[in-house]
């Protein structure tokens, strides 16, 4: 996962306290001129489950993997496609990744029986919350700073909070669609709003319907 430079986070906290403008990033030591805000695009080929940095057994983190596009003609084409070709300002170097696709739908099925009303094979997407980060509104607005809201809401995704254009989005898995996952970061946080009937390990099949592919993975969660 990416590491946010300490200067970026310090700069962000300073802005939050003083109400600074976006262009004040230019005076931070170590700031470098960037034509684009996004630094790399990821063509997803799958995803892996990771321990969620929340201390909560009800949450699991999923991270897209695949090939990265960081420069060249393809990078320029994608920057233009997503409207990120006129950032033209200085900012502390950091890695900002956009998944070069959107999720049409997420299915979360219990391989093992979850409870009396959700036997093996049942879709439990209706009580799984999904949180993720998107840069879409920031880029679309012409790089207008995104209000971060409540810090507690970023639990599990706090590493992205220092980014000026990071917007935290959340909703139930059943409501995730192609329109609200545009320009998302590579990490998704799944939080179960309901516990299984019995404590222990449960296998879940996560299926992501992308625009041109279907990505699936069986993961194990400990409740």
């Amino acid at each position: 996962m990416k590491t946010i430079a300490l200067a970026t986070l310090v700069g962000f906290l300073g802005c939050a306290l003083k109400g600074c403008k976006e262009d004040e990033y230019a005076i931070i030591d170590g700031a470098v001129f960037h034509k684009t805000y996004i630094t790399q695009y990821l063509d997803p080929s799958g995803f892996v489950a990771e321990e969620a940095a929340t201390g909560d057994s009800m949450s699991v983190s999923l991270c897209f993997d695949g090939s990265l596009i960081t420069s060249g003609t393809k990078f320029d084409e994608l920057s233009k496609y997503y409207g990120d070709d006129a950032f033209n300002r200085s900012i502390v170097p950091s890695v900002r990744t956009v998944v070069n696709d959107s999720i049409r739908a997420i299915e979360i099925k219990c391989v093992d029986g979850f409870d009396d009303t959700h036997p093996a094979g049942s879709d439990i997407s209706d009580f799984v919350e999904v949180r993720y980060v998107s840069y879409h509104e920031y880029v679309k607005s012409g790089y207008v700073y995104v209000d971060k809201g409540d810090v507690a809401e970023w639990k599990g995704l706090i590493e992205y909070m220092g980014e000026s254009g990071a917007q935290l989005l959340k909703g139930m898995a059943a409501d995730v669609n192609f329109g609200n996952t545009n320009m998302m970061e590579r990490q998704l946080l799944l939080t179960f709003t309901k516990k299984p009937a019995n404590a222990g390990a449960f296998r879940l099949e996560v299926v992501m319907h992308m625009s041109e592919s279907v990505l699936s993975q069986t993961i194990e969660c400990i409740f």
Side-chain angles (χ1 to χ4, degrees):
M1 302 302 295
K2 73 187 182 90
T3 300
I4 300 297
L6 178 60
T8 303
L9 186 56
V10 171
F12 164 72
L13 293 175
C15 287
L17 293 173
K18 296 186 296 181
C20 69
K21 297 180 180 178
E22 174 73 17
D23 61 6
E24 290 187 28
Y25 276 115
I27 65 173
I28 298 176
D29 289 344
V32 176
F33 180 83
H34 283 262
K35 180 180 178 181
T36 65
Y37 178 72
I38 303 306
T39 61
Q40 60 184 22
Y41 294 90
L42 184 145
D43 281 337
S45 59
F47 58 90
V48 295
E50 303 177 341
E51 184 178 353
T54 62
D56 181 3
S57 62
M58 298 286 284
S59 296
V60 61
S61 177
L62 303 180
C63 185
F64 283 101
D65 57 13
S67 58
L68 291 171
I69 303 164
T70 59
S71 62
T73 301
K74 181 65 173 178
F75 180 86
D76 294 340
E77 290 174 351
L78 289 173
S79 298
K80 184 175 182 180
Y81 174 79
Y82 286 105
D84 180 34
D85 53 356
F87 185 62
N88 295 329
R89 65 190 70 177
S90 295
I91 190 170
V92 172
S94 180
V95 178
R96 293 174 291 277
T97 306
V98 158
V99 177
N100 183 29
D101 206 340
S102 293
I103 305 172
R104 291 190 180 276
I106 293 180
E107 293 179 88
I108 300 174
K109 302 177 181 179
C110 52
V111 178
D112 306 305
F114 199 79
D115 55 27
D116 291 341
T117 58
H118 295 87
S122 298
D123 189 334
I124 60 172
S125 303
D126 56 344
F127 53 84
V128 178
E129 181 191 73
V130 182
R131 296 190 186 198
Y132 54 96
V133 168
S134 171
Y135 300 114
H136 176 65
E137 287 300 321
Y138 179 67
V139 173
K140 181 181 177 181
S141 69
Y143 311 108
V144 176
Y145 176 79
V146 175
D147 183 7
K148 294 297 182 285
D150 186 358
V151 174
E153 290 288 300
W154 290 76
K155 191 174 183 180
L157 296 168
I158 195 69
E159 63 185 291
Y160 302 106
M161 191 179 182
E163 298 289 1
S164 54
Q167 179 183 24
L168 181 66
L169 298 178
K170 66 177 181 176
M172 302 310 292
D175 298 324
V176 170
N177 60 62
F178 193 79
N180 59 28
T181 54
N182 193 18
M183 293 193 76
M184 61 181 171
E185 259 284 0
R186 65 193 303 174
Q187 185 178 0
L188 299 131
L189 186 68
L190 306 185
T191 300
F192 298 86
T193 61
K194 181 179 180 180
K195 291 184 178 181
N198 301 303
F202 285 84
R203 291 173 298 161
L204 299 168
E205 181 185 10
V206 180
V207 183
M208 296 194 193
H209 297 268
M210 313 299 286
S211 62
E212 297 182 355
S213 64
V214 177
L215 309 177
S216 64
Q217 181 80 19
T218 298
I219 66 175
E220 184 176 271
C221 300
I222 308 296
F223 291 94

